[in-house]
């Protein structure tokens, strides 16, 4: 753990990403304790109020302005981060569990099992993932649960393909052959010997997938198929404020910046994790 943080401190990009991700996560967790107004409370007398940089801690202050219904932009961004991170992390975990399990099965059994699973991956990758997500959400109906399922459905493919390649290399290693020799069962080999050795690449994939899923979540919410009102979401804020962009630029600018910084920080952290866990990349830099 000490060497991990020492290496992180030596990487400006990785440290920047780690700090930003930590800030967003802490803001999402501590949102009820930050003294922010309710993200759903309307105040038509203060509708489309511009950002106020003075009196930030005074009652009724709106540091990032208000939207077309007088709702506080800062509060909606902070509470929207809770919804976004819950949906994105749930989809990453669900897609990761399914993808890692299928990748291990495909790489270990090979043969017909491998061919069938990889053809399913190829077919799904041939479809535009956003179009697939739109069709599934439209069929199931927009809800948080359905959104998580749809995003996980577009996420498991990368896990399965990469983990399969890792398992194909690992299954011929001496410790796997030794486990076979002492009579270890198939599932014991996969769960006790193969799974721990593919968790590191799975973690890197999960970090990079998190950024992609945040963008897809925002896109679906922008189209009205993601998180439904009155729950705040960054994509919905962009959709609601796009008609006021010429008169109230802050309604779409600050949620857009939140999406930009979140995706950037997750990508920077994911790139650093990939370099840290891959000795070849570490020594080449």
């Amino acid at each position: 753990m000490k060497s991990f943080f020492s290496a992180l401190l030596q990487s400006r990009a990785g440290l920047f990403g780690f700090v930003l991700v930590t800030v967003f996560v802490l803001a999402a967790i501590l949102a009820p304790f930050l003294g922010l107004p309710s993200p759903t409370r309307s105040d038509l007398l203060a509708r489309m109020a511009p950002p106020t940089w003075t009196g930030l801690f005074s009652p009724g202050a709106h540091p990032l302005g208000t939207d077309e219904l007088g709702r506080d932009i800062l509060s909606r961004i902070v509470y929207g981060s809770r919804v976004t991170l819950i949906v994105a992390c749930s989809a990453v975990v669900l897609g990761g569990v399914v993808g890692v399990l299928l990748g291990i099965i495909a790489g270990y059994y090979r043969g017909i099992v491998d061919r069938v699973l990889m053809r399913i991956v190829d077919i799904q990758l041939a479809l535009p993932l956003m179009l697939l997500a739109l069709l599934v959400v439209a069929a199931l109906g927009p809800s948080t649960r359905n959104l998580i399922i749809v995003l996980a459905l577009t996420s498991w493919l990368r896990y399965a393909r990469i983990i399969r390649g890792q398992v194909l290399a690992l299954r011929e290693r001496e410790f796997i052959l030794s486990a076979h020799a002492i009579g270890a069962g198939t599932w014991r080999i996969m769960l006790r010997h193969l799974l721990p050795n593919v968790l590191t690449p799975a973690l890197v994939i999960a970090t990079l997938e998190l950024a992609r899923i945040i963008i897809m979540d925002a896109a679906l919410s922008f189209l009205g198929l993601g998180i439904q009102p009155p729950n705040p979401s960054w994509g919905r804020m962009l959709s609601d404020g796009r008609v006021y962009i010429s008169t109230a630029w802050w309604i779409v600018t600050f949620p857009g910046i939140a999406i930009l910084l979140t995706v950037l920080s997750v990508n920077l952290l994911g790139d650093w994790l990939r370099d840290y866990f891959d000795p070849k990349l570490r020594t080449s830099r």
Side-chain angles (χ1 to χ4, degrees):
M1 184 63 69
K2 184 177 180 180
S3 61
F4 177 87
F5 284 106
S6 298
L8 180 61
L9 291 174
Q10 296 175 3
S11 171
R12 293 181 180 178
L15 182 61
F16 178 77
F18 178 79
V19 170
L20 274 184
V21 169
T22 302
V23 169
F24 279 110
V25 171
L26 289 178
I29 294 174
L30 301 176
F33 308 102
L34 298 179
L36 297 172
S38 171
T40 60
R41 183 171 63 85
S42 300
D43 182 5
L44 295 180
L45 295 178
R47 65 186 300 269
M48 292 196 290
T52 56
W53 306 109
T54 58
L56 298 183
F57 299 101
S58 61
H62 303 289
L64 302 184
T66 61
D67 63 9
E68 70 280 3
L69 295 179
R71 297 171 297 189
D72 186 73
I73 296 293
L74 177 59
S75 177
R76 290 181 64 77
I77 288 176
V78 172
Y79 278 90
S81 68
R82 304 185 78 189
V83 178
T84 297
L85 291 178
I86 288 173
V87 169
C89 291
S90 300
V92 165
V93 171
L94 180 58
V97 170
V98 174
V100 169
L101 180 60
L102 293 180
I104 291 177
I105 291 175
Y108 183 81
Y109 283 105
R110 298 188 296 184
I112 185 65
V113 175
D114 182 28
R115 288 196 294 272
V116 170
L117 289 175
M118 288 303 103
R119 292 303 77 75
I120 294 174
V121 171
D122 292 338
I123 292 171
Q124 190 167 333
L125 285 175
L127 299 172
L129 295 183
M130 180 56 72
L131 177 59
L132 176 64
L134 287 172
L135 292 174
V136 175
V137 172
L140 298 178
S143 69
T144 302
R145 183 193 63 183
N146 292 341
L147 182 61
I148 292 173
I149 293 174
V150 167
L151 294 176
L153 186 64
T154 67
S155 176
W156 71 274
L157 310 168
R158 291 169 177 80
Y159 293 96
R161 174 158 286 185
I162 294 175
I163 297 305
R164 167 189 174 267
Q166 296 283 327
V167 172
L168 286 175
L170 288 170
R171 72 186 308 278
E172 304 300 333
R173 299 282 295 273
E174 289 79 4
F175 68 96
I176 299 296
L177 298 178
S178 300
H180 277 295
I182 62 175
T186 298
W187 283 100
R188 180 180 177 85
I189 292 175
M190 288 194 292
L191 297 179
R192 291 290 301 273
H193 300 284
L194 291 175
L195 180 59
N197 285 279
V198 300
L199 287 180
T200 296
L203 174 63
V204 176
I205 300 169
T207 309
L208 298 175
E209 279 293 290
L210 183 62
R212 185 187 66 83
I213 287 179
I214 289 174
I215 294 178
M216 287 195 67
D217 169 55
L220 290 172
S221 296
F222 182 87
L223 296 173
L225 296 175
I227 303 300
Q228 297 299 298
N231 295 320
S233 71
W234 294 342
R236 189 78 186 191
M237 293 173 69
L238 293 177
S239 176
D240 292 341
R242 71 188 188 279
V243 296
Y244 304 103
I245 192 169
S246 60
T247 56
W249 55 268
W250 54 89
I251 298 179
V252 296
T253 299
F254 293 118
I257 291 175
I259 295 173
L260 169 66
L261 291 179
T262 304
V263 173
L264 175 64
S265 60
V266 172
N267 274 327
L268 290 175
L269 183 59
D271 286 342
W272 179 80
L273 287 173
R274 180 197 60 193
D275 296 348
Y276 177 79
F277 287 117
D278 192 332
K280 296 178 182 178
L281 292 175
R282 235 189 311 174
T283 56
S284 64
R285 295 192 172 192

